Amino acid sequence: MIDPHAPAPPGAPPDWGAPAPLPVRPGTGRFLVLVCVFVCAACGLVYELELVALASYLIGDSVTQASVVLSVMVFAMGVGSLAAKRLRWHAAAGFAAVEAALALVGGCSAMALYAVFAWTGGWGGLWATGPRCLLVAFSLAIGLLIGAEVPLLMELIQRIRRQDAGGAVADLFAADYVGALVGGLAFPFLLLPLLGQLTGTLLTGTVNVVAGGALVLGLFRRDLSRRTRWTLLVANVTVLGVLGSAAALVSDFERAARHAVYGSDVRLAVQTDVQEIVLTGGTHGRPLDLFLDGRLRVGGRDERRYHEALVHPAMTGPHARVLILGGGDGMAAREVLRHTGVDRVDVVELDAGLVRLARHDPALAALNGHAYDDPHVHVFTADAFHWLREAPRRGCSGYDVVIADLPDPGITASTKLYSEEFYGLARRALAPGGRLVVHAGPVQARPHAFWTVAATMRAAGLAPTPYRVLGQDAGFTPGPDRSAGESRAPHDWGFLLAAAGPRGPPLHLPADGPRLRTLTRGALRRDALRTPAAGVPPSTLVHPRY
């Protein structure tokens, strides 16, 4: 049994058996501390989600980036909790300092990560992994600071009124988890659509520093010396000044960063509910380029080479009813409408904002030949996978041609659109003798992904005929990871023309089809690819292989 009157050993904490001198009642004080726990937890989760979202957009492969951020941050939280044990004897001052640092680091993390990507992402060499290293550094720093909050807040709660450890932990974590829920919902439904990633994160940092500073300087000011109070006040005001100045310069910063990424010819940049759309050129004879979430989707210099190769081989044969999955820019629909005998074209596009822009932007509408003004074209705003799943119930089936004009399979968000299940649904939508054509990414740069698409189509009962066409260098690394340096492989587009049955359809161009600018029968035969030996496993929803 420990003698309660025994002298404390050297270095032991002071006796805080007496309640802290508070300007409010103890019950009110505990409530204010738990409110601060709630706010800080919400802010911490916003920082976490912001890093995942921005890294997925800038670096690509959202599964990898989420795994890196979450694992590093949780590890750092544990280290931060251990490190904060040394600050418990100065819990009030330590908590205020931690919150000021967290607000500064977390609030500025999005801007810093975007700046490194925009201005140094193309350096290559040793700096090719610069954005990834910065992502890990921010995850580590934010995790350390979030982890340090818990023991300090526990000490502050016990300073107000001593209670058993289990009860204090229950109160603390209840407020913490509810705050995390609110922060997790606020980021995608409030901050991101209304303020954007940069301004939303800066606002979160502002709320963070105000909550931490107000709690300590207002509720626990009598635990602080005069010098400590002034130091914390100056630190908090400085952090607020930095965050406020950054918020005031966000528009100029975004404009400069876009110019660094896309060049000085940015004409339009909009954030839809689905993605960021950037248009460059399109006026005064300059080619129009369309970027979706930073990836070149339509290059005005050679978009016809891509779309003619995608559409016209599939139009050999019956083509009265055509389904386009993706292709919201209208280019694939333009090529389909060049054929006679087309009665109906259904376009299934997830982003209504892209379709709206393709209808009304003068340069983009001119490039797609005002395809959306044609009465044969019908647009459905939906996810392609779910639309195909519901198509029989809606009476949407029996298509002679299905065109999958979708992002590369190497992008995590597109993996389900290159799965065996997806191709099974597409096969069900085909009429007898119908053809499916798929853009399957570059062959030379990512051969494994391309042939995995072919194996996946075969597993779904479709026989593919592979081919490719060469294109100009887009100036961006193929696929989602643009920070890894330029690929030395030739820039090409790989396609798979498939039909149900044991043999793939032959590669031909319609004899009575329109005159093409870039594609000839001879070139199409030369660009046919020989299918490698079997052995590549298919990709499924539960086991993606891209």
Side-chain angles (χ1 to χ4, degrees), residues 64 79 117-118 135-136 208 231 268 273 280 342 347 355 374 421 432 522:
T64 299
V79 176
F117 169 80
L135 174 67
V136 172
N208 201 164
T231 301
L268 183 144
D273 294 338
T280 66
V342 175
V347 179
V355 175
D374 192 294
E421 294 85 347

Side-chain angles (χ1 to χ4, degrees), residues 391-402:
R393 184 177 60 82
R394 299 175 180 174
C396 298
S397 59
Y399 291 100
D400 299 304
V401 180
V402 176

Side-chain angles (χ1 to χ4, degrees), residues 4 25-26 33 110 121 260 284 289 311 326 429 481:
R25 295 178 180 179
V33 172
H284 307 293
D289 291 337
V311 172
D481 188 357

Side-chain angles (χ1 to χ4, degrees), residues 189-207:
F189 296 114
L190 184 64
L191 295 177
L192 194 59
L194 296 182
L195 300 176
Q197 293 197 58
L198 302 186
T199 304
T201 310
L202 292 169
L203 178 62
T204 302
T206 302
V207 172

Side-chain angles (χ1 to χ4, degrees), residues 401-447:
V401 180
V402 176
I403 299 170
D405 186 14
L406 300 164
D408 288 0
I411 302 172
T412 304
S414 302
T415 299
K416 71 176 182 180
L417 304 178
Y418 290 87
S419 65
E420 182 180 341
E421 294 85 347
F422 179 80
Y423 292 130
L425 295 173
R427 179 187 177 186
R428 186 176 66 177
L430 287 172
R435 283 89 57 209
L436 166 68
V437 64
V438 173
H439 164 236
V443 181
Q444 292 294 324
R446 292 202 303 278

Side-chain angles (χ1 to χ4, degrees), residues 297 306-307 310 324-329 331-332 349 403-407 418 437-439:
R297 181 60 178 160
Y306 166 85
H307 288 102
L310 172 71
I324 301 175
L325 304 173
D329 49 62
M331 309 299 173
E349 169 59 47
I403 299 170
D405 186 14
L406 300 164
Y418 290 87
V437 64
V438 173
H439 164 236

Side-chain angles (χ1 to χ4, degrees), residues 445-467:
R446 292 202 303 278
H448 174 75
F450 180 85
W451 294 115
T452 299
V453 177
T456 304
M457 297 178 80
R458 284 195 295 271
L462 295 166
T465 300
Y467 64 103

Side-chain angles (χ1 to χ4, degrees), residues 36 39-40 92 95-96 99-100 206-218 236:
C36 187
V39 173
C40 292
F95 179 72
E99 292 309 298
T206 302
V207 172
N208 201 164
V209 71
V210 168
L215 179 72
V216 172
L217 295 175
N236 279 266

